[in-house]
Amino acid sequence: MGTVPTEVHPEYKHVEGKTMKALAWFGSKDVRMVEAPVPDITEDDDVIVQVTGTTICGSDLHLYHGEIMALQKGDILCHEFMGKVEKVGPNVENIRIGQRVVASFQIACGECEYCKQKLSSFCDKTNNSSLQNYMYGQRDAGFFGYSHFTGGFPGGQAEYVRVPKGQINLLPVPDQITDEQAIYLSDVLPTSYHAVVDTGVQEGDVVGIWGLGPIGQCAIRWAKLKGASRVIGIDAIPERLDFAREQSGIEVIDFKKDTDVVKRIYELVPRGFDVALDCGSFHEPKGLNHKIQKALMMETDVPETINEMLVSVRKMGRCGIIAAYAGFANGVNVGALMEKGIRLIGNGQAPVHKYWDEILKEYIIPGKFDPTFMITHRVPLEDMAKLYAAFDKRQAGVGKVFVQTKFSSPASPTCPKLSRVVDWE
């Protein structure tokens, strides 16, 4: 279908004769460490970042399984990273060489009507995907490392990254904040915060959270900070359930044991939830019907979590979807949505620029929210391909991982020390 004109472009110049380690996609469950060209200043607003920390996100599993359209062999993955400024383009004024910075996972132009409202994920000028335009009627912003469906920009599981519009898409990190505290401002923290704020969690609300990975665990804490009187988490991974119960202090439902999730919810909350949040990242079908439909590509996504939310919230309740859905799901309970007067809210990709400064200054620096609680492992970049396989299997209780490069500082005293994925077995 070709591409549409954009303000910035994914292609970059490279430093002659210099290569870097990077993680690239070559097919379903086929990701490899490769030697890739080191990016150089290509457009006048570019900043080249020397990566000091990267990670893996639950939504990256969609890429790993080849479920996101427009992936191309050799694409460098990852949309969450931070580092030090290596080079700046001639138009960059407020970012200096050597400065520690964290990148937003989306690439914003800073000038369109959405960017002026700090709705950076909805930028009109940075994603060239005509396919997304066709499927959704309009396009999101360009994203780092998330296929050509989001612009084809090389991602952060690499030693260097070119950041277009660098003075807009990078946030300086103050000296008193560690890399482990800062890196998740790129996605997890604004995304979980956005789910809670955009869906409208209020003082006294009873909140249900589907998916107790890092997004869900953060959403628990944000919901409590916003005044939720009670939070109940739904998942099936023992380590996640244990963590939510013991560390996050909430009630949990194991949907492998309580297979009728809605029935169990009404036993616990006879009135129903005030707010339900879908914080899952990889929707594996539960029922045979949807397993068959997904296998036959009759649907790209399953509606089971959405339906459970619609049935379990009270009349006039609110359901927020921050989970990554890509296309079509069959059998959504539209009747419950209409008859109960439910506000079903697609939260969209979180506008990082709207929240990251607030989260840093009002929550992380004062110590109200310590993001390091979610880090379970630290591994070297060289283990990235093995990490995808282990992360897909949820091996060794893996949650959020800090991936270090040769440029990283040592682990902070309270964070996990370096390990190798092969030793997790």
Side-chain angles (χ1 to χ4, degrees):
M1 298 176 67
T3 59
V4 294
T6 52
E7 181 102 347
V8 299
H9 308 91
E11 300 83 10
Y12 64 74
K13 297 177 183 176
H14 61 271
V15 180
E16 198 67 38
K18 193 174 180 183
T19 63
M20 64 178 180
K21 291 182 173 66
L23 188 284
W25 183 89
F26 288 91
S28 179
K29 295 188 178 181
D30 183 5
V31 292
R32 309 172 198 169
M33 291 303 299
V34 299
E35 291 291 324
V38 172
D40 205 350
I41 299 295
T42 305
E43 296 173 341
D44 289 345
D45 295 313
D46 287 350
V47 172
I48 305 301
V49 172
Q50 185 187 80
V51 176
T52 58
T54 182
T55 187
I56 186 170
C57 175
S59 63
D60 288 334
L61 291 179
H62 285 297
L63 300 171
Y64 183 63
H65 287 272
E67 293 187 333
I68 299 298
M69 293 157 282
L71 274 163
Q72 295 180 14
K73 290 183 177 182
D75 282 349
I76 298 173
L77 306 184
C78 179
H79 54 277
E80 299 177 272
F81 63 95
M82 67 170 299
K84 291 182 180 178
V85 175
E86 172 88 356
K87 294 180 181 179
V88 297
N91 288 350
V92 177
E93 297 178 352
N94 64 341
I95 298 290
R96 66 180 187 276
I97 292 173
Q99 193 169 24
R100 293 168 66 230
V101 290
V102 60
S104 68
F105 74 87
Q106 59 238 200
I107 299 161
C109 73
E111 299 168 355
C112 70
E113 63 171 302
Y114 293 101
C115 286
K116 287 176 181 177
Q117 301 173 67
K118 293 193 174 181
L119 299 175
S120 47
S121 54
F122 300 111
C123 176
D124 275 332
K125 296 185 177 181
T126 57
N127 184 1
N128 64 13
S129 174
S130 57
L131 177 59
Q132 188 173 136
N133 215 49
Y134 171 76
M135 286 186 63
Y136 301 161
Q138 298 182 25
R139 302 181 309 284
D140 282 338
F143 299 160
F144 287 104
Y146 214 77
S147 88
H148 296 260
F149 192 63
T150 62
F153 292 90
Q157 287 163 356
E159 292 177 324
Y160 294 90
V161 181
R162 168 194 168 232
V163 179
K165 300 284 184 181
Q167 63 186 9
I168 297 163
N169 296 305
L170 293 169
L171 180 71
V173 176
D175 291 341
Q176 71 266 37
I177 299 301
T178 66
D179 282 5
E180 293 96 336
Q181 290 175 302
I183 186 173
Y184 303 113
L185 286 164
S186 59
D187 180 1
V188 177
L189 296 177
T191 294
S192 55
Y193 190 70
H194 177 60
V196 169
V197 172
D198 193 50
T199 312
V201 173
Q202 300 170 3
E203 190 82 26
D205 278 345
V206 179
V207 180
I209 296 178
W210 275 255
L212 297 176
I215 296 291
Q217 297 287 351
C218 287
I220 292 168
R221 285 160 168 74
W222 294 128
K224 287 183 174 183
L225 284 167
K226 294 299 180 182
S229 63
R230 191 177 176 191
V231 180
I232 297 174
I234 300 97
D235 207 305
I237 308 303
E239 294 86 355
R240 291 180 177 181
L241 293 164
D242 290 343
F243 190 94
R245 186 189 302 109
E246 296 165 11
Q247 304 298 322
S248 301
I250 67 166
E251 302 162 80
V252 298
I253 296 172
D254 181 346
F255 67 74
K256 289 285 180 66
K257 295 178 180 177
D258 290 302
T259 54
D260 190 336
V261 172
V262 173
K263 178 183 177 183
R264 181 58 181 150
I265 289 169
Y266 278 113
E267 289 172 353
L268 295 171
V269 190
R271 182 171 174 263
F273 290 135
D274 297 295
V275 176
L277 301 176
D278 183 357
C279 294
S281 60
F282 189 68
H283 291 89
E284 300 155 341
K286 291 193 232 177
L288 180 62
N289 181 30
H290 288 289
K291 287 180 180 178
I292 293 171
Q293 290 185 71
K294 194 166 184 185
L296 296 175
M297 290 303 293
M298 295 171 66
E299 61 180 0
T300 57
D301 300 278
V302 294
E304 291 159 314
T305 295
I306 294 172
N307 285 342
E308 288 175 355
M309 292 198 303
L310 290 172
V311 178
S312 64
V313 294
R314 64 170 173 81
K315 290 170 282 189
M316 297 298 292
R318 302 179 299 284
C319 297
I321 303 174
I322 197 67
Y325 288 87
F328 302 91
N330 302 327
V332 177
N333 192 342
V334 180
L337 172 66
M338 182 271 164
E339 293 290 350
K340 294 172 68 178
I342 295 167
R343 301 301 182 259
L344 178 60
I345 302 164
N347 300 124
Q349 299 287 348
V352 171
H353 295 193
K354 183 176 181 179
Y355 301 115
W356 60 356
D357 197 55
E358 174 190 351
I359 294 170
L360 174 63
K361 292 178 179 176
E362 296 185 21
Y363 291 99
I364 297 178
I365 292 176
K368 294 179 182 177
F369 195 110
D370 182 3
T372 63
F373 82 89
M374 70 181 106
I375 304 175
T376 60
H377 296 79
R378 182 185 182 101
V379 303
L381 182 66
E382 291 79 4
D383 279 11
M384 207 66 242
K386 292 184 178 70
L387 177 59
Y388 267 87
F391 193 72
D392 187 38
K393 297 172 185 173
R394 300 182 179 94
Q395 190 176 327
V398 63
K400 208 63 182 172
V401 181
F402 187 94
V403 180
Q404 71 175 37
T405 73
K406 65 183 180 182
F407 306 118
S408 300
S409 300
S412 299
T414 58
C415 292
K417 304 304 179 188
L418 187 69
S419 64
R420 303 303 298 263
V421 174
V422 68
D423 295 329
W424 296 1
E425 298 175 2

